[in-house]
């Protein structure tokens, strides 16, 4: 037996498909599409990014969620959210909102700007059967509450969830807590040609999504190129090796423990059985969210 970690390899690359959600917000759906239905525990990944106000201005008016978590990470722009339990907040560039919908809530996510760039991600993370009906909960952090590490030369990493080692071997931990899936969520900036290796949690589903520039993932003959707006599904090992191309790269790296439970989903409800899904519709319609 060797203690050395095997490098992760790219098992698939996927380009998102153009989609529209909310009241007509244009976005790119990367997970939760015919190409990649889900990557347990991740149910959906949307990238939104536009300078055109008409692509986002209608926002996401009141809509329900039950049975999972929505994670909004803003790169540019301002979005105000409000829910029917009296929670309200403003998402600004670099902030994260990790919303555990649990048993259910109704909320809106509306742009708080008339012009300029709106850019970021929304990720849906499933909850185990035992946690689907918990009380709704928010973990919301402003940019200055998210640790920024420089684990190698030319590498800057915002640690939103999970942990990495910095250049001195000290652990840098993100503020999000979710024991059910133990998520890792990193926003990585690689300067041109910069390289970085980091550990992925063993046995967890993992992906990297490049949103600017390009890079290579893996080692030697197994290394694969990843272009901007491509997602790499990772497998085969738990040591992630990244090397930026000549223009540098920006990407998110996300991992989580698969739940391996049946999934019954329709729109904003994600349960384990069809019966529970029907109950979600009834509860929503009868105002029990
Ligand atoms: Co929502």
């Amino acid at each position: 037996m060797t203690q050395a970690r095997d490098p992760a390899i790219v098992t698939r690359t996927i380009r998102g498909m153009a989609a529209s959600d909310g009241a007509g917000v244009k976005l790119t759906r990367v997970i939760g599409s015919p190409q990649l239905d889900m990557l347990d525990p991740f149910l959906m990944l949307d990238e939104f990014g536009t300078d055109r106000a008409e692509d986002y201005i209608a926002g996401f008016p009141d809509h329900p969620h039950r049975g999972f978590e929505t994670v909004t990470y803003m790169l540019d722009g301002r979005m105000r959210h409000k829910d029917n339990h009296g929670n309200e907040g403003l998402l600004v560039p670099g902030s994260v909102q990790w919303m555990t919908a649990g048993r259910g809530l109704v909320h809106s996510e509306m742009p708080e700007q008339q012009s300029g760039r709106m850019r970021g991600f929304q990720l849906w993370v499933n909850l185990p059967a035992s946690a689907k009906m918990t009380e709704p909960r928010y973990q919301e952090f402003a940019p200055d509450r998210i640790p920024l590490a420089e684990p190698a030369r030319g590498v800057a990493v915002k640690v939103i969830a999970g942990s990495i080692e910095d250049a001195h071997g000290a652990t840098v931990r993100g503020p999000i807590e979710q024991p059910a899936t133990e998520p890792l969520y990193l926003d990585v900036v690689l300067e041109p040609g910069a390289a970085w290796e980091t550990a992925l949690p063993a046995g967890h589903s993992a992906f990297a999504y490049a949103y600017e520039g390009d890079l290579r993932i893996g080692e030697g003959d197994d290394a694969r190129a990843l272009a901007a707006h491509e997602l790499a599904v990772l497998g085969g090992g738990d040591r992630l090796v990244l090397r930026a191309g000549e223009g540098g790269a920006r990407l998110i790296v996300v991992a989580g423990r698969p739940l391996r439970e049946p999934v019954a989903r329709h729109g904003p409800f994600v349960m384990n059985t069809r019966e529970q899904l029907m109950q979600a519709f009834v509860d929503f319609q009868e105002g029990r969210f």
Side-chain angles (χ1 to χ4, degrees):
M1 286 291 286
T2 167
Q3 291 298 306
R5 290 169 176 272
D6 290 325
I9 57 165
V10 175
T11 60
R12 279 182 81 178
T13 60
I14 289 145
R15 263 189 185 276
M17 54 182 277
S20 170
D21 211 335
V25 177
K26 295 221 169 67
L27 47 81
T28 303
R29 184 144 297 161
V30 192
I31 299 175
S33 72
Q35 289 186 83
L36 183 59
D37 176 46
M38 68 179 286
L39 184 65
D40 186 13
F42 305 112
L43 301 157
M44 197 191 82
L45 176 69
D46 283 345
E47 179 187 30
F48 49 94
T50 175
D51 296 317
R52 292 156 41 101
E54 62 265 38
D55 289 344
Y56 63 74
I57 205 74
F60 302 88
D62 276 349
H63 59 278
H65 293 287
R66 173 181 278 184
F68 63 102
E69 305 186 293
T70 68
V71 178
T72 307
Y73 177 52
M74 296 296 289
L75 295 168
D76 298 294
R78 296 153 67 85
M79 195 95 89
R80 181 167 295 276
H81 78 93
K82 285 184 195 174
D83 75 13
N84 64 328
H85 297 257
N87 300 298
E88 181 172 348
L90 183 65
L91 294 169
V92 300
S95 63
V96 66
Q97 182 199 65
W98 200 290
M99 184 184 87
T100 305
R103 61 175 307 282
L105 51 73
V106 178
H107 77 158
S108 62
E109 301 154 284
M110 299 299 288
E112 189 145 297
Q113 62 189 37
Q114 301 299 315
S115 62
R117 175 173 289 188
M118 182 72 77
R119 188 165 71 139
F121 296 98
Q122 188 166 90
L123 177 72
W124 287 11
V125 187
N126 207 359
L127 286 168
S130 58
K132 283 189 179 295
M133 295 298 277
T134 56
E135 286 304 306
R137 175 190 181 204
Y138 289 89
Q139 300 182 73
E140 201 166 302
F141 295 98
D144 61 357
R145 304 274 311 279
I146 298 173
L148 174 66
E150 293 180 29
R153 186 188 297 267
V155 181
V157 182
K158 290 181 185 168
V159 185
I160 297 164
S163 64
I164 64 165
E165 275 189 6
D166 72 9
H168 309 289
T171 300
V172 180
R173 191 170 297 282
I176 299 297
E177 286 174 24
Q178 178 43 279
T181 45
E182 290 189 294
L184 175 75
Y185 195 134
L186 309 174
D187 180 8
V188 182
V189 179
L190 301 171
E191 288 178 12
W196 181 47
E197 282 190 25
T198 191
L200 295 172
H204 288 201
S205 301
F207 67 85
Y209 184 82
Y211 62 90
E212 282 181 22
D214 67 281
L215 68 150
R216 293 185 74 76
I217 298 179
E219 273 185 338
D221 292 345
D222 291 331
R224 290 272 298 271
L226 192 70
H229 309 296
E230 277 185 342
L231 178 134
V233 178
L234 304 170
D238 50 12
R239 183 165 57 89
L240 180 61
V241 182
L242 308 173
R243 182 178 296 276
E246 287 177 1
R250 298 185 68 178
L251 64 150
I252 54 171
V253 174
V254 178
R257 182 197 295 123
L259 297 173
R260 306 186 202 286
E261 291 181 356
V263 174
R265 68 192 282 185
H266 189 86
F269 308 127
V270 184
M271 305 304 291
N272 298 107
T273 68
R274 191 176 155 72
E275 227 167 30
Q276 294 165 345
L277 206 51
M278 306 285 271
Q279 189 62 50
F281 275 98
V282 171
D283 287 349
F284 171 57
Q285 272 161 7
E286 295 181 355
R288 284 196 288 266
F289 274 33

